[in-house]
Amino acid sequence: MSSNDAFIDLLARAKGASRALATATTAEKNAALEELARGLEAAIPEIVAANELDLRRGAEQQIGDGLLDRLMLDESRIRGLAAAVRDIVALPDPVGEVVRGSTLANGVTIAQTRVPFGLVGAIYEARPNVTIDIAALALKSGNGAVLRGGSAAEDSNRVLVRLIQEAMTRAGLDGDAVQTIDEFGREGAGRLMRARGFVDVLIPRGSAGLIATVVQESTVPVIETGAGIVHVYVDASADAEMAEAIVVNAKTHRPSVCNAAETLLVHRDAAEALLPRLLAALTERGVSLSGDERARAAGAPSAASDQTWATEHLDLAMGVRVVDSIAEAIAHIDRYSTKHTEAIVTNDFANAERFLAEVDAAVVMVNASTRFTDGGEFGFGAEVGISTQKMHARGPMGLQELTSTKWIVRGTGQIR
Amino acid sequence: MSSNDAFIDLLARAKGASRALATATTAEKNAALEELARGLEAAIPEIVAANELDLRRGAEQQIGDGLLDRLMLDESRIRGLAAAVRDIVALPDPVGEVVRGSTLANGVTIAQTRVPFGLVGAIYEARPNVTIDIAALALKSGNGAVLRGGSAAEDSNRVLVRLIQEAMTRAGLDGDAVQTIDEFGREGAGRLMRARGFVDVLIPRGSAGLIATVVQESTVPVIETGAGIVHVYVDASADAEMAEAIVVNAKTHRPSVCNAAETLLVHRDAAEALLPRLLAALTERGVSLSGDERARAAGAPSAASDQTWATEHLDLAMGVRVVDSIAEAIAHIDRYSTKHTEAIVTNDFANAERFLAEVDAAVVMVNASTRFTDGGEFGFGAEVGISTQKMHARGPMGLQELTSTKWIVRGTGQIR
């Protein structure tokens, strides 16, 4: 059943193969993942060579050091990918788990049971590691995957997708379940967003602009991920040493990722004792600080604007504001938060509980670094992304978030 | 903070009030529901009078008997609504439930905890009972609700929403959390679909056309409900009496609802012995039958077309097809199903398990009537609708499906 449309043919092949994958056993899926880990290690020279083509093109197009670093695959990173795939082998298979169930008064039994979504679409940019992460998680959860990895990583992704397909074939599964649509360019991305009926869920990973486009244009259900304007609020009663450790870690441990802090809010009663110390520690680590009037008085070199609070810097920049109360901190967060992760540092029990209850975000924290919002840290293994929406999945998404459910009903002839 | 835009003002009021509702106690929410049940009973004459205006307008506009019946509220139905509200009081509050949690190796504790969505939007048509069902379920689950009940039920809904607001106020909650936008007409419905940031989830209930429009136009996340092209497949080994009882019940018990069967598939080996009996039983109850060639030979009076299989009749019409195998039955279902409910009648264990595993629908059944796909039957109390999508909720949606989650993280200064 081939049409004149290569794109539809590809989706139909992936859809057909994903049906068989939905009923594959855990042992079969794990065997394919083991094959993939081995295949990645065996193909290191080939992957590096393909990646070098991407890197050269990226350098010519001056895409910037940050993007080039994300794009780069060397032997050590490829071995890391293989290890991540093996970690997924060790995770429990979510498919078949009975979420809840009961026997009705008339003897009919009902069991809500996890099933794969079917075919998962992913749109991302210049991150070939995401190709392996998402395909491996999709495979383990019994889903097919249609991947749009973007032109910047096209050569790397072509090799990686072929390795995934080959690993599945070696394990006796249908490799057609995983496909790249990079060859169809931007038009392919647009068609993927409208492939309702073929694609069951679409996951964009990348810039706020990419995610906004997918949300606007997609008729396929979308799980939003990513953008993080993350706040750390240092309350009046905060321990000075703990506050410094958390603020420095949240901002500087890995500033380019979504769980890194972007804004520091400090209660005025802590400002005098604490703020100079916090600002000095951040400055020492190369953070460029923009503050409101009171933060400038305490040492922030430049002036913050409304734009400062509304920006996900993703580098060593941070806005600093002194607030008069926890209510003012929560109001600031409410206005600027992307509802990813929000943290309070405090020793006041009531304030901690109030912050946890009132702040609306995927993850709310007391006295811990925002860097803990991560599938690996939460024990999920590799993560699909961090959902910042409220439907279906919220926060780090692992295998379970790649499943739907189905009610299985068994009777002996009951009618109403 | 009033703008020049009455619609935005209304959404902002609902959003503000829904925040307070999110942290209301179960006792407070139950008190408001008790007040609502009493308020409905006390206002029976007023509700009936308002409903008569809607009914008169509907009759003038010749909207049809089925719609008029759905629109109608009399004393008995209003008492039924009050009873349904009291049933919701008795249900457990989903808010605050810890779905899963653990203590990480470093001592940080994480707990995924149910929270209200925030503000739930609903678009439906000519069913004033849905106003009470959805508002009561939203209230119990800590959500505000913005309701677009349609012009046909405008007078009834205006009174019902006022009663809800008054009941909340009497119980000390902010009645602004529940609003109707009927006064804004069709434009209001369109704006509700684009009210991203105000409305957290949108639930359309009604015709396939309405649902398709909402899915296409909405930028707010949507939970699709409803359309049911439901099949009953009678396998070769089916018990004749059981097959007849289930087929008749699935088709005729309440043909206007989404879990009623639309198509009967019969294995050829059962056709000779069973089909005449099934067709006679259906005909006797007024079902008009369209069959394929073999079903016509067994007594179906008219010829089925592709259109027959693709139609949700919602009345006493049914398509009948004889298939050569369970595989052919599954393939037919796969092609025409709206993924609502699919049933097999069989005494063959392997076929039962195969049907349950391979058919992709919210609910798959063996030897039970498709009429059991219902929140009340499943023990959820009143239902928000029946989700036919795979994200977030699938099948009958109760209180739990009106919640999201939030990860609560507590540390003692941990960093990465």
Side-chain angles (χ1 to χ4, degrees):
Chain A
M1 61 161 222
S2 118
S3 71
N4 288 321
D5 186 329
F7 186 81
I8 295 293
D9 282 350
L10 179 147
L11 289 185
R13 272 206 314 282
K15 186 84 178 167
S18 73
R19 276 159 185 274
L21 191 58
T23 53
T25 63
T26 306
E28 288 168 330
K29 295 183 289 188
N30 282 345
L33 290 168
E34 296 280 9
E35 287 289 350
L36 174 58
R38 276 195 291 275
L40 285 167
E41 287 163 344
I44 287 171
E46 188 189 359
I47 299 169
V48 169
N51 186 247
E52 271 167 9
L53 298 176
D54 288 331
L55 289 173
R56 203 171 309 151
R57 216 169 44 244
E60 278 164 23
Q61 293 168 3
Q62 302 184 305
I63 62 172
D65 287 350
L67 270 181
L68 280 174
D69 178 59
R70 278 170 24 178
L71 192 52
M72 192 267 284
L73 290 178
D74 57 14
E75 174 168 348
S76 140
R77 287 190 180 179
I78 297 166
R79 290 196 186 278
L81 284 175
V85 170
R86 290 200 177 95
D87 287 344
I88 293 172
V89 171
L91 294 174
D93 186 341
V95 175
E97 183 198 344
V98 177
V99 179
R100 53 182 166 157
S102 62
T103 302
L104 307 183
N106 58 12
V108 168
T109 65
I110 64 173
Q112 188 179 28
T113 308
R114 284 201 189 283
V115 295
F117 264 123
L119 195 52
V120 173
I123 299 183
Y124 48 100
E125 290 165 332
R127 299 187 94 151
N129 59 311
V130 172
T131 302
I132 296 296
D133 277 358
I134 289 195
L137 287 164
L139 204 169
K140 176 81 184 211
S141 52
N143 290 290
V146 179
L147 307 170
R148 154 74 183 167
S151 55
E154 204 171 340
D155 286 288
S156 311
N157 285 334
R158 187 181 305 118
V159 173
L160 294 173
V161 169
R162 204 199 69 230
L163 292 170
I164 297 162
Q165 293 172 333
E166 289 173 355
M168 291 180 73
T169 307
R170 281 200 302 277
L173 298 177
D174 186 344
D176 270 347
V178 178
Q179 300 284 350
T180 167
I181 57 161
D182 282 344
E183 61 183 293
F184 299 97
R186 276 176 179 277
E187 195 206 330
R191 293 187 71 181
L192 187 64
M193 295 180 212
R194 294 183 301 275
R196 206 175 166 84
F198 281 109
V199 177
D200 294 290
V201 62
L202 188 56
I203 300 168
R205 270 184 73 167
S207 65
L210 169 75
I211 293 166
T213 301
V214 173
V215 166
Q216 283 291 329
E217 295 190 9
S218 183
T219 56
V220 173
V222 172
I223 300 181
E224 279 179 79
T225 67
I229 298 182
V230 168
H231 302 75
V232 178
Y233 166 56
V234 176
D235 197 24
S237 65
D239 175 83
E241 206 169 313
M242 188 193 292
E244 181 181 325
I246 288 175
V247 169
V248 166
N249 187 258
K251 179 68 244 179
T252 69
H253 183 253
R254 200 168 166 204
S256 66
V257 295
C258 59
N259 61 17
E262 304 295 358
T263 300
L264 170 63
L265 302 171
V266 180
H267 191 281
R268 67 172 176 201
D269 294 347
E272 202 178 330
L274 253 177
L275 198 49
R277 173 182 179 159
L278 293 177
L279 299 184
L282 289 163
T283 304
E284 193 180 302
R285 281 158 186 89
V287 179
S288 94
L289 298 164
S290 312
D292 70 348
E293 213 167 294
R294 288 185 283 188
R296 292 195 71 187
S302 62
S305 67
D306 196 67
Q307 193 51 39
T308 308
W309 316 127
T311 301
E312 186 183 16
H313 303 292
L314 296 171
D315 60 21
L316 285 172
M318 190 171 218
V320 187
R321 184 177 165 191
V322 176
V323 294
D324 289 330
S325 63
I326 184 174
E328 195 179 326
I330 292 174
H332 179 104
I333 290 169
D334 189 46
R335 178 154 177 207
Y336 296 103
S337 168
T338 53
K339 303 189 190 304
H340 185 296
T341 301
E342 304 299 347
I344 184 174
V345 185
T346 188
N347 196 37
D348 183 294
F349 185 80
N351 282 359
E353 294 302 310
R354 178 177 175 185
F355 189 91
L356 293 174
E358 292 186 15
V359 173
D360 182 24
V363 185
V364 285
M365 295 182 168
V366 180
N367 296 347
S369 170
T370 59
R371 290 278 295 126
F372 286 115
T373 298
D374 176 88
E377 294 292 322
F378 274 24
F380 299 171
E383 76 184 12
V384 182
I386 292 174
S387 166
T388 51
Q389 68 176 36
K390 292 185 182 174
M391 247 179 76
H392 185 76
R394 203 173 189 205
M397 288 189 287
L399 290 172
Q400 191 173 303
E401 284 71 24
L402 286 181
T403 62
S404 180
T405 59
K406 178 175 172 172
W407 284 96
I408 307 260
V409 174
R410 290 180 168 95
T412 51
Q414 286 88 342
I415 60 170
R416 277 179 78 177
Chain B
M1 61 158 221
S2 119
S3 71
N4 287 322
D5 186 330
F7 186 81
I8 296 293
D9 282 351
L10 180 147
L11 289 186
R13 272 207 313 281
K15 187 83 177 168
S18 73
R19 275 158 186 274
L21 191 58
T23 53
T25 64
T26 306
E28 287 167 329
K29 295 183 288 188
N30 283 345
L33 290 168
E34 295 280 9
E35 288 288 349
L36 174 57
R38 274 195 291 275
L40 286 168
E41 288 164 343
I44 286 172
E46 187 189 359
I47 299 168
V48 169
N51 186 248
E52 271 167 9
L53 298 176
D54 288 332
L55 289 174
R56 203 171 309 152
R57 216 169 45 242
E60 279 164 21
Q61 293 168 5
Q62 302 182 307
I63 62 173
D65 287 350
L67 269 183
L68 279 176
D69 178 59
R70 278 172 21 181
L71 192 52
M72 194 266 285
L73 289 178
D74 57 13
E75 174 168 350
S76 139
R77 287 192 180 176
I78 297 166
R79 289 197 187 278
L81 284 175
V85 170
R86 289 201 178 95
D87 286 346
I88 293 172
V89 171
L91 294 173
D93 186 340
V95 175
E97 184 198 344
V98 177
V99 178
R100 51 182 167 156
S102 61
T103 301
L104 307 183
N106 58 13
V108 167
T109 65
I110 65 173
Q112 189 179 27
T113 308
R114 284 201 189 283
V115 294
F117 264 124
L119 196 52
V120 173
I123 299 183
Y124 49 102
E125 290 165 332
R127 299 188 95 152
N129 60 309
V130 172
T131 301
I132 296 296
D133 277 359
I134 290 195
L137 287 163
L139 204 170
K140 178 81 182 212
S141 54
N143 290 289
V146 179
L147 307 170
R148 154 74 182 168
S151 55
E154 205 173 340
D155 286 289
S156 311
N157 285 333
R158 187 181 305 118
V159 172
L160 294 173
V161 168
R162 205 201 68 229
L163 291 171
I164 297 161
Q165 294 172 334
E166 289 173 356
M168 293 180 71
T169 306
R170 280 199 304 277
L173 298 176
D174 187 344
D176 270 346
V178 178
Q179 300 284 349
T180 167
I181 57 160
D182 282 344
E183 63 183 290
F184 298 98
R186 277 176 178 280
E187 195 207 329
R191 293 187 70 181
L192 186 64
M193 295 180 211
R194 296 183 300 275
R196 208 177 164 82
F198 281 109
V199 178
D200 294 291
V201 62
L202 188 56
I203 301 170
R205 269 184 74 166
S207 66
L210 169 75
I211 293 165
T213 301
V214 173
V215 166
Q216 283 290 329
E217 296 190 7
S218 184
T219 56
V220 173
V222 172
I223 299 182
E224 279 180 79
T225 67
I229 297 182
V230 168
H231 302 75
V232 178
Y233 165 58
V234 176
D235 198 23
S237 66
D239 175 81
E241 206 169 316
M242 188 192 291
E244 181 182 326
I246 287 174
V247 169
V248 167
N249 187 258
K251 179 67 244 179
T252 69
H253 182 253
R254 199 167 167 204
S256 66
V257 295
C258 59
N259 60 18
E262 305 294 358
T263 301
L264 170 62
L265 302 170
V266 180
H267 192 281
R268 65 172 178 204
D269 294 347
E272 203 177 328
L274 252 176
L275 199 49
R277 173 183 179 156
L278 294 177
L279 299 184
L282 289 164
T283 305
E284 194 178 302
R285 283 163 184 85
V287 179
S288 94
L289 299 164
S290 312
D292 70 347
E293 216 167 291
R294 288 186 282 187
R296 291 195 72 188
S302 62
S305 67
D306 197 67
Q307 193 53 37
T308 308
W309 316 126
T311 301
E312 186 184 16
H313 304 292
L314 296 172
D315 59 22
L316 285 171
M318 188 171 219
V320 187
R321 184 176 166 192
V322 176
V323 295
D324 289 330
S325 62
I326 185 174
E328 196 180 325
I330 292 174
H332 179 103
I333 291 170
D334 189 46
R335 177 152 176 210
Y336 296 103
S337 169
T338 52
K339 304 189 191 303
H340 184 294
T341 301
E342 305 298 347
I344 183 174
V345 185
T346 188
N347 195 37
D348 184 293
F349 185 80
N351 282 359
E353 294 303 309
R354 178 176 174 187
F355 190 91
L356 293 174
E358 291 186 15
V359 172
D360 182 25
V363 184
V364 286
M365 294 184 170
V366 180
N367 295 347
S369 169
T370 59
R371 291 279 293 126
F372 286 115
T373 299
D374 175 89
E377 294 292 322
F378 275 22
F380 298 172
E383 76 184 14
V384 183
I386 293 174
S387 166
T388 52
Q389 70 176 35
K390 292 186 182 173
M391 247 179 76
H392 184 76
R394 203 172 189 207
M397 289 189 285
L399 290 172
Q400 192 173 301
E401 284 70 24
L402 286 181
T403 63
S404 180
T405 58
K406 178 174 172 173
W407 284 96
I408 306 259
V409 174
R410 290 179 169 94
T412 49
Q414 286 87 343
I415 60 170
R416 277 178 78 179

